Amino acid sequence: MGPKKVEFLDVILDLSAQNYGPYRKPNSTPRYINVQSNHPPTVLKQIPQSINKRLSKISSSKEKFDSCKNDYQQDLDESGYKDTLEYDREAGRKQAVSEKKKRKRKITWWNP
């Protein structure tokens, strides 16, 4: 029989318990852009939101989220962010629905 737990990229899949959660290699610490950097404000504002969304998506439950939240929160605090990470149960279920209006192509016909 194959392995019951599999680490794939940043997710650990537990096949025996049928759940999944965030995974970080031992001794790895992510580094985020500092708040005082010269990046556009919109980029700096999106960093904590994107981390929170990603952690919520790859956590099967609030308990899995809370077990790894402190590491990521500490890294955000070191970079100067004041946001706190909170579990969003709907983050993995939300789909971006595009309401973009499709335009008709203008076709020019030429017959010699």
Side-chain angles (χ1 to χ4, degrees):
M1 194 111 216
K4 297 293 182 184
K5 283 190 178 184
V6 178
E7 294 99 12
F8 180 72
L9 299 176
D10 63 342
V11 181
I12 186 164
L13 306 168
D14 188 359
L15 302 177
S16 60
Q18 295 185 353
N19 58 25
Y20 52 93
Y23 171 73
R24 279 177 40 175
K25 290 183 179 180
N27 300 325
S28 73
T29 55
R31 298 173 75 187
Y32 302 118
I33 299 170
N34 196 302
V35 173
Q36 301 300 321
S37 72
N38 197 18
H39 286 74
T42 54
V43 172
L44 296 174
K45 189 172 107 178
Q46 289 296 320
I47 289 175
Q49 293 175 4
S50 63
I51 293 168
N52 192 48
K53 183 177 178 182
R54 177 67 182 157
L55 285 177
S56 294
K57 275 186 176 183
I58 62 175
S59 298
S60 62
S61 65
K62 183 167 176 26
E63 292 77 27
K64 290 281 187 183
F65 179 85
D66 290 338
S67 67
C68 73
K69 175 179 84 167
N70 294 334
D71 296 332
Y72 291 93
Q73 185 66 54
Q74 181 181 358
D75 296 334
L76 280 174
D77 293 341
E78 288 174 2
S79 296
Y81 294 96
K82 302 295 181 201
D83 298 43
T84 57
L85 300 175
E86 296 176 2
Y87 181 65
D88 183 12
R89 189 172 58 100
E90 297 297 320
R93 294 174 179 83
K94 291 179 185 173
Q95 295 288 329
V97 178
S98 177
E99 296 293 330
K100 190 174 181 181
K101 185 177 178 181
K102 292 187 178 183
R103 66 176 181 90
K104 281 207 163 225
R105 281 183 28 191
K106 294 180 181 178
I107 300 173
T108 304
W109 298 94
W110 179 74
N111 291 324

